[in-house]
Amino acid sequence: MSAARQLSLEVNGKRHNLQLDIRTTLLDALREHADLPGTKKGCDQGQCGACTVHVDGERVLSCLTLAAQVEGRQVTTIEGLQTADGVMHAVQTAFIEHDAFQCGYCTPGQIMSAIACIREGHAGTDDDIREYMSGNICRCGAYPHIVAAVRDAASRLKTERAL
Amino acid sequence: MRPFDYLRAQDTAAAIAEAGKPETKFLAGGITLLDLMKLNVERPARVVDITRLSGLDTIEVSADVIRIGALAKMSKVADHAGVREAAPVLSESLWRAASAQLRNMASIGGNLMQRTRCTYFRDPGAYSNCNKRNPGSGCAAIEGINRNHAVLGTSDACIAIYPGDFAVSLVAFDADVLVRGTVARRIPIDEFYLLPGQTPHLEHPLSPGEMIVGIEIPRSAALKRSHYLKVRDRASYEFAAASAAVGIEMEADGRTIRDVRIAVGGVATKPWRLRAVEASLKGKTLDESTLRAAAAAAVEGAKSSGHNAFKIALVPKVVARALMTVGDIS
Ligand SMILES: Cc1cc2nc3c(=O)[nH]c(=O)nc-3n(C[C@H](O)[C@H](O)[C@H](O)COP(=O)(O)OP(=O)(O)OC[C@H]3O[C@@H](n4cnc5c(N)ncnc54)[C@H](O)[C@@H]3O)c2cc1C
Ligand code: SF4
Ligand code: FES
Ligand code: FES
């Protein structure tokens, strides 16, 4: 076994000092060591998107990232989206309003991905949304509702920014 | 996963010195490396994280060349306005690859070095016979399920596809790989990928510790009028069933082909340049029948292993369609 290392991770604005085997992925560090199980493990091989989180504001896959690689970087997970007084992110609200899930297992990854997709400017058309959300697989096939939710959230966020 | 030591390199010289030590690998985005470490295909004793090295993620478009640092992210290069303007094929072959998340992680250097998706190669627990992993052990794919295996550039030792997209466009447009080790050198991209022959475990001419620091692509009229067509089993987030990187330059008459570049992916053991097809098209009039006739020669020497015969039928169509797109023939 690799020697455990002291790693300091900043997740959702909070510092976590963790003793981790150096082989630990960011995904396992979040779920099993930082008490943040919202990020899901689907394939553990980069093929499904369930484990999507933001590192320094950009969407990445936590299953193919070593925890050690994000030391000194800001990690955001689904648990970090709500404001302190419990207000959900516009994309979360849109997913609920549009019924953009069935079992919900892919949903945290979909939402983290959608927020970045909108921020990147890749949510202008339904075709764009489908292309730039393709890294998030939904076994339940909720795709039409996911596209509708992203489209709606994108236009709401645009209006908010314009106000 | 085998236990390993994790080091963070402070500068390029230190990274190269560390990576020259036994059983050591560079770690960039980690997408290929970590995935294969989990599968016990890669078993380094040490990894050198190079993602924090400075100055290696630049993208420069000058009058005659495009220069991209090895640590530039696929997503940044794909979205770069200067690259999209001067070289649409480079941008397209990047944004049509993998997913948005993976492209945010993946470095250009790591992308060039990605390894085959051959399912037997990826499964050492179930298959000991893989000449690429285990030289001399045989090849499980030749007699196995080989729908996603190569029809061009194969040998009786290995039929694994080089799966990447970006390198296909680099091969079509004569890029150089800039490498630094004990000395700095420049390797033409076509020589950077080795045919399997009897040594499929050797994929690149890099020595231990040699690091890709960037790539350079000469600018040309054909590069400006270029396109990457990727045909696959699903519309996105999938490797190519067959792809073509093409570019064209016309004579002043607007009808005669002056220069044309063609390389194909998803069908060969390395990014596959079609020089004979290019030569047969130069000086010809640009029209559909000429393109289709020339494209038929794209699969000269192709060999099916059984389930992958469809690729031999697919390649000429993909080449012709890609050329019709850049040639504005509907
Ligand atoms: C689900 C999935 C789908 C994918 N789809 C596609 C696709 O459609 N098209 C496509 O092209 N790719 C695809 N990929 C592959 C992906 O693009 C590559 O895995 C990625 O680009 C590798 O880059 P990296 O920076 O993560 O490399 P790493 O995994 O960090 O490194 C890969 C290898 O290169 C070595 N290395 C890294 N940097 C250097 C350097 N500077 N010099 C020398 N050696 C170096 C490492 O030691 C390692 O051996 C897909 C991957 C996954 C998991
Ligand atoms: S095709 Fe190559 S990589 Fe795949 S099993 Fe055969 S030898 Fe191994
Ligand atoms: S769990 Fe990371 S992509 Fe599937
Ligand atoms: S809602 Fe079930 S996997 Fe997407």
Side-chain angles (χ1 to χ4, degrees):
Chain A
M1 179 151 156
S2 299
R5 266 224 224 172
Q6 180 77 28
L7 291 181
S8 173
L9 304 187
E10 197 175 324
V11 188
N12 304 329
K14 197 174 151 229
R15 186 154 296 285
H16 295 257
N17 293 313
L18 306 171
Q19 279 285 118
L20 296 176
D21 182 315
I22 201 68
R23 293 175 290 187
T24 313
T25 59
L26 174 58
L27 176 60
D28 287 342
L30 293 169
R31 290 179 55 82
E32 285 166 32
H33 301 274
D35 199 21
L36 292 166
T39 307
K40 300 301 179 216
K41 183 185 279 192
C43 64
D44 212 21
Q45 297 193 336
Q47 299 180 13
C48 76
C51 66
T52 304
V53 300
H54 295 180
V55 171
D56 288 346
E58 304 220 52
R59 50 176 161 165
V60 300
L61 299 180
S62 58
C63 72
L64 289 184
T65 303
L66 288 175
Q69 284 174 287
V70 303
E71 262 197 312
R73 309 214 189 273
Q74 311 259 353
V75 179
T76 309
T77 70
I78 191 79
E79 290 95 338
L81 295 182
Q82 270 187 23
T83 58
D85 46 358
V87 180
M88 276 189 287
H89 190 283
V91 174
Q92 290 177 298
T93 314
F95 266 65
I96 293 170
E97 285 176 8
H98 289 271
D99 217 2
F101 42 78
Q102 285 183 34
C103 76
Y105 197 78
C106 71
T107 312
Q110 298 279 1
I111 289 174
M112 296 312 288
S113 198
I115 292 170
C117 181
I118 295 167
R119 197 188 290 146
E120 292 159 10
H122 289 139
T125 64
D126 285 6
D127 277 349
D128 255 6
I129 294 171
R130 279 189 280 266
E131 174 63 43
Y132 285 88
M133 288 294 292
S134 72
N136 294 82
I137 307 289
C138 174
R139 288 309 317 199
C140 299
Y143 297 112
H145 291 213
I146 294 170
V147 172
V150 177
R151 187 202 309 132
D152 189 19
S155 70
R156 273 195 251 173
L157 286 167
K158 204 168 156 188
T159 325
E160 272 174 35
R161 270 197 300 271
L163 291 176
Chain B
M1 195 190 298
R2 179 185 177 191
F4 59 87
D5 275 341
Y6 168 90
L7 291 84
R8 215 173 270 152
Q10 299 308 320
D11 57 50
T12 306
I16 291 167
E18 287 298 342
K21 295 180 184 166
E23 297 193 86
T24 307
K25 287 268 181 185
F26 292 117
L27 176 69
I31 299 166
T32 291
L33 187 59
L34 211 50
D35 187 26
L36 292 177
M37 284 165 70
K38 289 183 186 186
L39 297 170
N40 262 321
V41 174
E42 296 275 16
R43 298 172 49 77
R46 305 159 76 237
V47 303
V48 182
D49 184 346
I50 56 175
T51 52
R52 298 182 195 220
L53 298 180
S54 60
L56 288 177
D57 62 351
T58 50
I59 306 167
E60 293 161 60
V61 181
S62 70
D64 5 278
V65 295
I66 300 174
R67 194 181 226 276
I68 303 171
L71 290 179
K73 295 287 158 64
M74 286 171 75
S75 54
K76 293 284 180 295
V77 183
D79 283 349
H80 189 275
V83 171
R84 291 167 59 148
E85 159 73 18
V89 70
L90 298 183
S91 170
E92 276 181 285
S93 62
L94 286 167
W95 71 254
R96 291 184 199 279
S99 69
Q101 290 94 314
L102 290 163
R103 295 191 296 269
N104 277 341
M105 305 160 70
S107 66
I108 290 297
N111 182 278
L112 297 187
M113 297 289 287
Q114 68 178 287
R115 304 199 67 192
T116 187
R117 302 293 293 189
C118 170
T119 44
Y120 302 101
F121 171 77
R122 288 172 57 82
D123 195 352
Y127 300 95
S128 57
N129 45 340
C130 169
N131 288 322
K132 192 183 272 301
R133 248 196 291 111
N134 205 351
S137 62
C139 168
I142 290 175
E143 296 293 322
I145 308 282
N146 47 42
R147 184 177 180 275
N148 290 321
H149 286 77
V151 293
L152 289 163
T154 58
S155 71
D156 59 4
C158 179
I159 57 170
I161 281 180
Y162 170 78
D165 293 296
F166 185 57
V168 177
S169 50
L170 296 178
V171 162
F173 291 91
D174 298 314
D176 281 339
V177 182
L178 311 178
V179 171
R180 204 176 298 161
T182 40
V183 292
R185 59 181 182 132
R186 170 186 286 268
I187 307 171
I189 184 85
D190 211 12
E191 293 165 25
F192 186 77
Y193 293 99
L194 307 179
L195 285 168
Q198 293 308 305
T199 51
H201 58 292
L202 303 177
E203 297 173 355
H204 310 283
L206 296 183
S207 316
E210 270 193 314
M211 180 169 152
I212 303 170
V213 290
I215 50 168
E216 229 174 67
I217 309 105
R219 291 185 64 178
S220 63
L223 183 60
K224 191 167 163 67
R225 190 169 174 182
S226 63
H227 171 50
Y228 190 73
L229 175 63
K230 183 172 177 184
V231 173
R232 36 190 163 169
D233 289 349
R234 62 181 178 197
S236 182
Y237 198 16
E238 185 57 275
F239 290 93
S243 68
V246 302
I248 200 164
E249 181 190 1
M250 303 303 291
E251 297 287 1
D253 65 8
R255 296 169 37 239
T256 312
I257 299 169
R258 176 186 292 180
D259 186 19
V260 59
R261 309 293 183 90
I262 314 164
V264 290
V267 293
T269 52
K270 60 178 269 182
W272 200 256
R273 180 84 177 258
L274 293 173
R275 289 183 201 279
V277 179
E278 293 175 5
S280 77
L281 280 170
K282 280 183 198 163
K284 295 274 169 56
T285 303
L286 178 71
D287 59 44
E288 179 170 355
S289 57
T290 308
L291 293 178
R292 290 207 182 271
V299 282
E300 214 153 71
K303 186 170 174 284
S304 156
S305 296
H307 309 113
N308 56 359
F310 76 100
K311 288 184 188 270
I312 300 178
L314 190 54
V315 171
K317 294 177 198 289
V318 171
V319 168
R321 176 137 75 90
L323 287 168
M324 285 164 66
T325 302
V326 281
D328 292 321
I329 302 170
S330 46

